[in-house]
Amino acid sequence: MSGLLILLVFAGFAILMYRRIVPALLAVPLMAVGMAAVAGVPISGIGSIVILGSSYLASVFIAVIFGAMLGRVTIETGIAKSIVNFAAEFGGENPMVLALVLCAVVAILFVSLNGLGAIIMVGSIVLPIMMTVGVPRKVAANLFLMSFALGFIFNITNWKFYTKFFGVAQQQMYEYAIVLAIVDLIALLIYAGVAFRTTRDYATWAVRADAPPAPRVPWYSLITPLLPIGLYFGLAMDPIIAFPVSAIYGVLTTAPRKAVKLLVAAAIRGFEDVAPAVLLFVGIGMLVVASKQPEFIAALHPLIAGDALRNPLLYIAIFGLLSPLVLYRGPLNPFGVGIAIFTALLAAHVFPPVILVAAVMAVVQVQNVCDPTNTANVWIANFTGVQIDEITKRTLPYQVAVATVACIVVAAASPTLFGLRPFAAPALPAAAGPAYPGMFAPESAAFRIAVSNDGTPAAKDASDVVVATLNGSWKDVRAFAFSDDPNREDCTHKPYAAFLSISSTSFNIEAGTDIDVGLQLADCGGWGVDEWHDHAVFAQPPQRDQIQKLALESLFWMRAWSVDHPQRAGNLLGKGLAYEPTDPPTYYYSLFKTVDGNMRAFVRAGGPAYAAGMRTNDIVDKLDGKFWWMYGTYQTQLRAYDGKPHTFELERGNRTIAVQLGAPFQ
C-alpha cells in the first residue's frame, strides 16, 4: 500500500512540474519529503533527510560552481572568442564546412563549460558567424544544441555527479562515453547533410561594423577549456581542483595583472549562472537520502524489483524509444522528476550502477537538445528567431535515435564495455538448466561419484575401501577414483555428479597415534554438502584394515545423511546439485577474509554468481558501491547473503571487474 502512495506522490509532483505550476527547484525536495512520509519514515528521519540531503551532493554542486567560474574566465579573457574566430577563419566561406567546424569548437568548449551563462556567451559569438555566411537560422540553432550535447557527454561536472550519486568509477564509463559520442556525432553529421540539402531559408544576419575585435591572447592560453579534461581523465584530479587550476592558468596566461580581479568576478558571476542547478542538486540530495531509508526501500522494492525489468528489450524500449519522456521535466528526466525513478532502481539493485548511468547518459542526449523547457533552448530560440517547438520537432527524431542506439549497444555489448552481464536470463525453477547451463551435471554423470584423496598413505587406503563399498552396496551408484578440483569449472562436462574428498590427519599423543579420517562431500561444482569424521588412538602404528574401518564408519554417517535427506541426496546424485524445494533462494557464493586482510569470494562453479561473472578467490573491494570495510566484516557478509541482486566490484589479477547478480536459484 505504501508503495502505491509513493507512486501517487511522484505522479502528483510530476504533473505539477509538467504543467509548470511548481518548478523543479521546489518540487524535487518536496517530493523527497512527501514520498518519505507516505513510506512511513518517522518525523526524526524526515528531518535527517532535509539536513543530510542538503549537503549530500555538496561535492557535485561545488564542482558545478567552479566549472562555471572557469567558463566565465574563458569568456572574459577572450579565449573562447579567439578559438571561435580561429575556427571561422579555418572554415572558410562554405556554410556547411564552417558550421561543422564551429560545431567542433562548441563541442570542445562545453566539455568544461557549464550553465546558461556559458550558452549565452558562446552562442552570442558562434550563432552570428554561422548565420552571416548563410547557415539557415533553424539549422544554426539545431546544430548549436546538438554540438553542445555532444561535448556535454564528457563534461566533468556531469561525471562528478555520476561518480557521487551512482557510485561508479570514471574508468568504468570511458568506453561507453566514446561509443555514445560517436553515435551522437553521426546523428549530427546526418542532420547537417539533410538540413543543408533541404533548407533554403538562408540567414541574413547583420553584423555591426563597430563590433569590438576579440582581444589577442597567446596561443598557449587556448588550451584552457581543455585543461580540466586532461587533469581529470589523465591525472585523476578531482574537478573541484581541476577547474580552479585551469581558471588560474587561463588568467595568468592572458591577463596576469588583472588575475585577482578576473577570478573574483568570474567566481561571483559564475555562481549566478549556475545557482538554479545548485538548488536543484540540493533537492536531489534530499531525494537520495530519502531513498536510503529502510521504510522507503521496503515500500518500493515490491513494485520495481524483479527479473522482468532486466529484459534487454524493455531496457531499450524505456530508455531508448521512450526517451521523449525526458521532455518537459518528465518521468525520465534525471534533473527533474526522473531522478526518483533512477534512485529507486539504484536502491533496488535492478541494474548495476554503470548500466543506470548509461541509461541516464542516453536520455540526457534527448533532454539537452530537444527539451523546450531548457533555458538554453529558450534563449537560442529567441536569439535566432526560431519557434522553440520547431527546434524540438526537427531534432527529436535524431536524438531519440541516438538514445535508442546507445541502449542497444548497452544491451548487446555490456560484457565488453563494462565487464558484466546485467541482462542474463533469470533462473526459474523449471528452467534453471537452460538459464545456467553449467549448474547441473550432464545426464551421463548421474549417480557417479568421483573419489579423491589428499595423497597421504592413510587417505589412499581409505579411498580404496570407500570406492569398493560404494560400488558394492549403494544402489545405482558408480564410484571411481578421480583427481580433480570440482570448483575449477562448471558442471557442463563433468563425468561425475558428486565429488567425495578423503583426508587423513595424525598426531602423536601420550597414548599413541591419533588418526582422523574425514569424508567431505561436494556437488559437481565444488559446493560443500556435508562432511563426516571418525578417529581412533592406536598404541602401535595403525594397519591398513584399521584405517579402512575408520573410513567405513565415516561412510556409514554419510549413508545416514542420505537416508535423512532423501530428496537432497537424490538431487545431488541425479543432477549434481544438493537442494530441496524448501531451500531459500541462493546465489551459491560466500565471502571470507584471508590472512592478507582481503575479503575474498568462494563461488560455486556454474551457479548464479558464477554466471554473473564472480569467481572463487576474487578479491571483493566494494559491495553495492561501498568498500566492504565501511559496513564491517560481519555486516558485509550479512548483507551479501540476504538473497538480493547485489553489485560487486572485484579484483582479479590486475583487472577490476564489476559484477551484477541476476536471479538466485530457487
Side-chain angles (χ1 to χ4, degrees):
M1 181 62 182
S2 55
L4 294 177
L5 291 176
I6 289 176
L7 293 183
L8 289 176
V9 172
F10 166 80
F13 280 104
I15 293 171
L16 291 175
M17 281 189 281
Y18 179 81
R19 299 292 299 274
R20 303 188 186 182
I21 298 173
V22 178
L25 300 182
L26 293 177
V28 173
L30 290 175
M31 181 195 304
V33 172
M35 291 197 299
V38 300
V41 177
I43 297 296
S44 59
I46 293 177
S48 298
I49 288 171
V50 175
I51 296 171
L52 299 177
S54 299
S55 59
Y56 185 83
L57 295 177
S59 61
V60 177
F61 55 70
I62 290 173
V64 170
I65 293 171
F66 283 145
M69 180 183 73
L70 173 62
R72 281 288 178 175
V73 167
T74 303
I75 298 297
E76 299 298 336
T77 57
I79 292 174
K81 192 166 187 178
S82 297
I83 294 173
V84 173
N85 288 344
F86 175 78
E89 295 176 6
F90 176 79
E93 298 182 356
N94 184 297
M96 183 172 177
V97 173
L98 176 60
L100 293 178
V101 171
L102 290 176
C103 282
V105 172
V106 171
I108 291 172
L109 288 173
F110 280 98
V111 167
S112 59
L113 302 187
N114 199 4
L116 179 61
I119 290 283
I120 293 173
M121 289 180 283
V122 176
S124 299
I125 302 169
V126 170
L127 291 170
I129 295 176
M130 280 191 185
M131 293 185 285
T132 297
V133 299
V135 178
R137 295 173 181 270
K138 296 176 183 177
V139 177
N142 295 339
L143 284 178
F144 184 89
L145 283 169
M146 294 175 80
S147 55
F148 151 71
L150 174 60
F152 219 62
I153 292 173
F154 297 97
N155 190 281
I156 61 177
T157 57
N158 275 352
W159 284 60
K160 181 69 175 179
F161 173 59
Y162 300 149
T163 55
K164 173 65 177 177
F165 184 92
F166 293 97
V168 302
Q170 63 191 57
Q171 296 86 350
Q172 293 177 283
M173 303 307 301
Y174 286 162
E175 294 183 12
Y176 172 74
I178 292 172
V179 171
L180 179 60
I182 292 172
V183 174
D184 208 27
L185 176 60
I186 293 172
L188 187 153
L189 294 174
I190 293 174
Y191 170 79
V194 173
F196 277 99
R197 188 163 47 245
T198 58
T199 307
R200 293 291 179 265
D201 53 333
Y202 288 101
T204 55
W205 189 274
V207 180
R208 293 179 49 147
D210 59 347
R216 297 181 63 85
V217 298
W219 64 268
Y220 47 83
S221 67
L222 301 182
I223 68 170
T224 299
L226 292 179
L227 188 56
I229 302 305
L231 296 176
Y232 180 73
F233 290 106
L235 301 180
M237 184 179 291
D238 193 279
I240 294 177
I241 300 176
F243 280 135
V245 167
S246 302
I248 293 171
Y249 174 85
V251 297
L252 290 180
T253 56
T254 56
R257 294 182 179 180
K258 300 179 181 179
V260 174
K261 181 179 178 181
L262 283 172
L263 287 172
V264 172
I268 294 172
R269 298 192 66 187
F271 180 78
E272 293 174 352
D273 292 337
V274 296
V278 171
L279 293 176
L280 183 59
F281 277 121
V282 169
I284 292 174
M286 294 182 191
L287 192 58
V288 174
V289 175
S291 71
K292 294 180 180 294
Q293 303 303 309
E295 298 86 355
F296 189 99
I297 295 173
L300 205 56
H301 189 271
L303 299 179
I304 62 175
D307 300 326
L309 292 177
R310 298 189 183 93
N311 187 309
L313 297 179
L314 193 61
Y315 181 88
I316 295 168
I318 293 175
F319 301 113
L321 297 175
L322 297 180
S323 57
L325 292 175
V326 77
L327 305 180
Y328 300 99
R329 305 294 168 181
L332 287 183
N333 194 315
F335 302 105
V337 69
I339 192 63
I341 290 179
F342 288 107
T343 301
L345 293 173
L346 182 65
H349 313 298
V350 174
F351 294 112
V354 290
I355 301 301
L356 286 177
V357 172
V360 170
M361 293 174 71
V363 299
V364 162
Q365 291 310 104
V366 178
Q367 191 263 339
N368 277 341
V369 177
C370 311
D371 193 347
T373 66
N374 289 342
T375 52
N377 292 50
V378 173
W379 180 84
I380 290 170
N382 291 335
F383 189 79
T384 57
V386 178
Q387 292 293 324
I388 193 168
D389 59 341
E390 187 74 10
I391 293 176
T392 300
K393 182 175 69 175
R394 288 176 175 268
T395 58
L396 189 60
Y398 294 91
Q399 296 308 112
V400 171
V402 169
T404 303
V405 172
C407 290
I408 292 173
V409 169
V410 172
S414 286
T416 301
L417 293 174
F418 308 115
L420 49 81
R421 299 179 182 274
F423 304 106
L428 300 176
Y436 302 124
M439 186 75 168
F440 297 119
E443 292 184 6
S444 59
F447 292 91
R448 292 172 64 88
I449 301 177
V451 180
S452 178
N453 63 77
D454 64 6
T456 61
K460 291 179 180 178
D461 291 340
S463 177
D464 292 340
V465 72
V466 166
V467 170
T469 303
L470 287 172
N471 286 328
S473 61
W474 283 48
K475 183 180 179 181
D476 299 326
V477 167
R478 172 74 172 91
F480 57 95
F482 193 74
S483 179
D484 191 21
D485 176 7
N487 191 240
R488 188 180 65 248
E489 59 184 5
D490 65 36
C491 299
T492 305
H493 303 294
K494 295 287 180 65
Y496 52 83
F499 192 86
L500 189 61
S501 300
I502 300 179
S503 62
S504 73
T505 57
S506 64
F507 52 93
N508 295 323
I509 59 176
E510 186 175 345
T513 303
D514 191 323
I515 297 289
D516 178 277
V517 175
L519 274 61
Q520 295 174 309
L521 181 64
D523 63 22
C524 62
W527 191 258
V529 176
D530 210 331
E531 63 179 287
W532 305 269
H533 292 263
D534 256 294
H535 77 101
V537 178
F538 300 95
Q540 301 295 328
Q543 300 300 308
R544 187 171 189 268
D545 60 334
Q546 293 174 311
I547 297 295
Q548 291 182 339
K549 182 179 178 181
L550 288 176
L552 290 176
E553 289 174 355
S554 294
L555 187 61
F556 169 82
W557 293 115
M558 176 176 158
R559 181 59 180 263
W561 169 85
S562 67
V563 173
D564 291 339
H565 303 86
Q567 194 163 19
R568 192 179 304 279
N571 285 330
L572 172 65
L573 294 175
K575 300 180 180 181
L577 183 67
Y579 68 95
E580 292 180 350
T582 56
D583 290 344
T586 179
Y587 287 95
Y588 284 107
Y589 71 92
S590 62
L591 305 182
F592 61 97
K593 284 188 68 176
T594 48
V595 292
D596 56 8
N598 287 317
M599 181 77 76
R600 294 180 183 268
F602 180 82
V603 185
R604 195 272 189 190
Y610 185 93
M614 188 183 293
R615 295 292 183 269
T616 294
N617 285 326
D618 282 349
I619 296 175
V620 179
D621 286 336
K622 292 183 179 180
L623 172 64
D624 295 334
K626 289 186 178 181
F627 289 104
W628 64 264
W629 55 82
M630 297 175 69
Y631 301 111
T633 302
Y634 173 75
Q635 291 81 359
T636 299
Q637 293 172 328
L638 188 66
R639 183 185 183 96
Y641 305 151
D642 62 5
K644 295 180 181 178
H646 295 289
T647 58
F648 291 86
E649 187 173 306
L650 309 169
E651 288 183 45
R652 187 180 305 155
N654 296 324
R655 292 191 301 154
T656 298
I657 300 168
V659 169
Q660 163 72 51
L661 297 180
F665 173 77
Q666 300 186 55

